[in-house]
Amino acid sequence: MKWKDSIFAKGYRFLKCCKFKPLCFKALCCSAYYRLCILLCKPACLHKHWGVQGEESPEEETREAYRYAYRVSYAVDRICTRTTWESKCLVRALSAQKLLKRKGIQSTLYLGCKMDEGKMVAHAWLRVGKMYVTGGNGEGYAVVDKYRA
């Protein structure tokens, strides 16, 4: 195996070229934490920390909130595509929600499902104002629950 293909070289290039290093590091920690929580905790315990159930955040946000939400979206997407553990939609949405909450930005976490080829498929996505931060806009999914944080 050559140096340029090793995990250390990839990590070095990532750190060298990444726009938002501190935010990416926080996203990495959050995604690891939430993946561990999903594996080890009971669902009833998890839901308590997601926010106010059944409520939505405001439809409008400030320009600074949208800018920060874009950075969070970039960092979470960039990190979660490269983790060795499974970082699917719920882990991404919870990680982004936590990072936004730290800055005092309100968001809404949506949980939805749909039928696909006879199987039920679940999905999670996060919205800030009119911007969808993770998971797309949830088109095609029936909203099962929502949490305002």
Side-chain angles (χ1 to χ4, degrees), residues 39-101:
L39 290 174
L40 300 178
C41 297
K42 295 178 183 175
C45 180
L46 290 174
H47 292 219
K48 293 177 189 176
H49 305 287
W50 292 356
V52 182
Q53 187 175 9
E55 292 187 14
E56 293 195 47
S57 60
E59 287 287 326
E60 286 296 323
E61 273 295 339
T62 63
R63 184 178 294 259
E64 292 78 29
Y66 284 127
R67 282 187 187 133
Y68 189 73
Y70 172 77
R71 288 187 208 122
V72 167
S73 176
Y74 172 84
V76 167
D77 183 54
R78 180 121 182 183
I79 290 297
C80 288
T81 55
R82 291 169 171 79
T83 57
T84 56
W85 55 87
E86 194 175 88
S87 297
K88 291 193 176 180
C89 56
L90 184 59
V91 172
R92 291 173 188 234
L94 291 171
S95 299
Q97 182 187 46
K98 179 69 171 181
L99 294 171
L100 291 165
K101 197 175 188 180

Side-chain angles (χ1 to χ4, degrees), residues 10 13 45 90 107 121:
K10 289 178 182 179
R13 280 194 306 272
C45 180
L90 184 59
S107 62
V121 179

